[in-house]
Amino acid sequence: MGKKKIFLTGAAGSLGTSIRSRMRARYDFRLLLHSTVPDDVHSDDQVVFGSVADHAAMVEAMSGVDAVVHLAIRRWSGMTAEDVAKATLEVDNPGVYNILEAARITAVPVVVFASTNHVTGLYEKEGLVSTPESPVRPDGVYGAGKAFGEALGRFYAERYGIRVICLRVANFNGKDAPGTRYEAGYSRWLSPRDLAQLVWRSVEAEHVDFGIFYGVSGGSEKKWDLSNARELLGYIPEDDGSLPEYG
């Protein structure tokens, strides 16, 4: 039996680049790109050009894949709050609908959705630990948009039987060190190898029909509860962003 084929959106971004590098031995990839092929795209990768906001293009692109990993598009650098809100409402929200609906049409069994810790950002601002069961308290339109994606994912899981795994991704810098000093228990860092572990465990967790999990490495327990990721996905962080050597 050959390797599963993953349809990877946001394939040229920092998350996508890291996943392609660290998960190549495990999966084959079909990559969604906008216009330019990065230099590090492997010759075995299939490449399609398009936008998640194009419904017909997503249906065509997802035909014949075994899973979808729908990654976040970074919205912060150089953007105003109004810019972020506009992108969330005009691209991100239609995009997650198109991905889930295309998965239904093409019978893709599992979608891994890159959500964000900003879905519960106000708990963090108040110094409270967030759990996946906590009522959503987004700290902006971006977080509210991801909350919409999670809710839509639950609908598609319960109505159509697609397995949907939502990963609330924290700070990802694409490096093997956090680059910031975090106190014990307060790390916000997700390392590249912990990202890869979370993604492949999500793809393979056939016993999980729907789930929301915080995407963060160790040393973050005073911000986010990782217990369900440990219990349901078998996720054990290999890295800890609050280690003294990162000071």
Side-chain angles (χ1 to χ4, degrees), residues 193-209:
R193 63 177 171 179
D194 285 340
L195 167 68
Q197 182 192 169
L198 272 169
V199 171
W200 73 254
R201 287 189 181 280
S202 296
V203 170
E204 302 299 333
E206 296 184 358
H207 59 289
V208 180
D209 297 324

Side-chain angles (χ1 to χ4, degrees), residues 15-34:
L15 292 168
T17 299
S18 181
I19 287 171
R20 287 189 282 111
S21 171
R22 291 181 175 265
M23 293 173 51
R24 184 164 307 285
R26 188 179 293 272
Y27 300 114
D28 292 328
F29 289 105
R30 181 178 296 165
L31 310 177
L32 179 66
L33 301 171
H34 287 285

Side-chain angles (χ1 to χ4, degrees), residues 110-121:
V110 56
V111 174
V112 180
F113 169 55
S115 183
T116 176
N117 62 282
H118 292 282
V119 169
T120 51

